[in-house]
Amino acid sequence: NVNYGLLITASDMKDTEVIEKTIRQLTQLTGQVKYPVPPIMEARVFHLQYFYTLRSLMQKHDFKKAAELEQTVMRGIEHRKSSLTPHLKIYLLQELAGCLVLAGKLRDALRLLNIIMHDADSEKPHNIMVELRMLYLIIHFELGHEELLEYLTKSDEHFFIKHKMLYRFEKVMLVAFNTLSATPESGKQRTILSRLQKELFSLKNDRFEGMPFVDFDYLFWIESKIKGMSFRG
């Protein structure tokens, strides 16, 4: 619990050095105890180890290294089918999916998002549903699926209104991607993204509206697109 608290604090402060040190301490615990570690506790340690490793790598923008952990994480989840709770599983998959998007492994990320979306074993909290739907928009924009993008923005708006989740962040994202769906010219897309960047930057430090930025680096993605970096793959 102490290490878990340290990980949360270090992550909020974006102190990747403390995150990595705490992960080492946490993973060493199972080798220090003199009794068998319960499977549920071992699965909890596994989740914390890889969730915060991925988060640390995202904060350092080392997406290539994060993507290299994909098979390790997926094998670990498969190995812990009965001990890793559905709640922890979707959080880990979502964190991995975000890293894969920024590493350019869009179809791998899409596969993980589909697993999360169709997972009926766990209730998905607000932040998971927001990031899930925003990543779908980003991926399909990257893949050039303009017609699908238009459908998704309308579907997402309906979903957020129905569940009383349509806040300022969601509104500006949906408006921008709906406009992008009808704007194939790269120059005009950059203009739209620049406007979105300014709107999101004004929300980032808001106590409530800034919450989505904890889970995914939307501003980094936008900045990369404006500079002409392609993540299609």
Side-chain angles (χ1 to χ4, degrees), residues 11-216:
S11 179
D12 288 345
M13 296 175 63
K14 300 188 185 303
D15 192 332
T16 57
E17 185 176 342
V18 172
I19 292 175
E20 291 162 6
K21 179 182 177 181
T22 306
I23 288 171
R24 288 194 296 271
Q25 293 175 176
L26 183 65
T27 54
Q28 289 169 1
L29 287 177
T30 55
Q32 295 172 354
V33 296
K34 298 180 180 179
Y35 52 85
V37 177
I40 292 179
M41 181 60 69
E42 189 277 334
R44 178 67 168 155
V45 172
F46 165 80
H47 167 263
L48 290 174
Q49 176 186 356
Y50 285 98
F51 178 87
Y52 282 101
T53 294
L54 291 168
R55 179 145 296 189
S56 174
L57 292 171
M58 181 177 283
Q59 290 174 351
K60 294 195 294 185
H61 295 167
D62 193 348
F63 309 118
K64 181 180 178 180
K65 188 172 182 180
E68 291 171 353
L69 294 175
E70 180 183 359
Q71 293 305 315
T72 300
V73 171
M74 297 307 293
R75 285 195 298 267
I77 291 174
E78 179 68 20
H79 180 67
R80 296 166 177 82
K81 276 184 177 180
S82 60
S83 56
L84 188 67
T85 66
H87 180 74
L88 296 182
K89 174 185 172 182
I90 63 170
Y91 266 99
L92 186 51
L93 289 176
Q94 190 103 329
E95 193 71 19
L96 177 58
C99 290
L100 291 176
V101 168
L102 293 172
K105 301 185 71 174
L106 301 174
R107 297 188 186 279
D108 286 349
L110 188 59
R111 175 176 54 84
L112 296 186
L113 295 182
N114 287 334
I115 292 173
I116 298 168
M117 181 65 84
H118 296 102
D119 184 348
D121 293 330
S122 66
E123 184 178 345
K124 301 171 186 66
H126 171 264
N127 66 311
I128 286 287
M129 291 308 302
V130 170
E131 186 186 0
L132 182 66
R133 289 173 178 270
M134 295 302 110
L135 290 183
Y136 269 124
L137 294 177
I138 288 171
I139 290 172
H140 287 297
F141 169 70
E142 291 281 10
L143 294 175
H145 300 161
E146 285 82 9
E147 291 184 6
L148 180 57
L149 197 63
E150 182 181 8
Y151 165 78
L152 286 174
T153 56
K154 293 178 181 178
S155 173
D156 288 346
E157 182 179 26
H158 176 75
F159 173 85
F160 288 133
I161 291 174
K162 179 181 177 181
H163 294 276
K164 299 180 180 179
M165 295 163 59
L166 187 63
Y167 301 108
R168 181 64 182 164
F169 172 83
E170 290 79 17
K171 288 179 182 178
V172 299
M173 289 287 285
L174 294 179
V175 168
F177 277 93
N178 186 54
T179 307
L180 286 168
S181 71
T183 310
E185 301 89 349
S186 59
K188 291 183 179 179
Q189 287 182 348
R190 285 192 176 90
T191 300
I192 295 166
L193 289 171
S194 295
R195 186 164 60 246
L196 175 61
Q197 183 184 42
K198 291 177 182 178
E199 291 181 287
L200 291 183
F201 191 79
S202 68
L203 298 177
K204 184 179 180 181
N205 295 321
D206 184 276
R207 183 173 177 270
F208 184 76
E209 294 285 357
M211 292 177 66
F213 298 92
V214 174
D215 298 316
F216 184 77

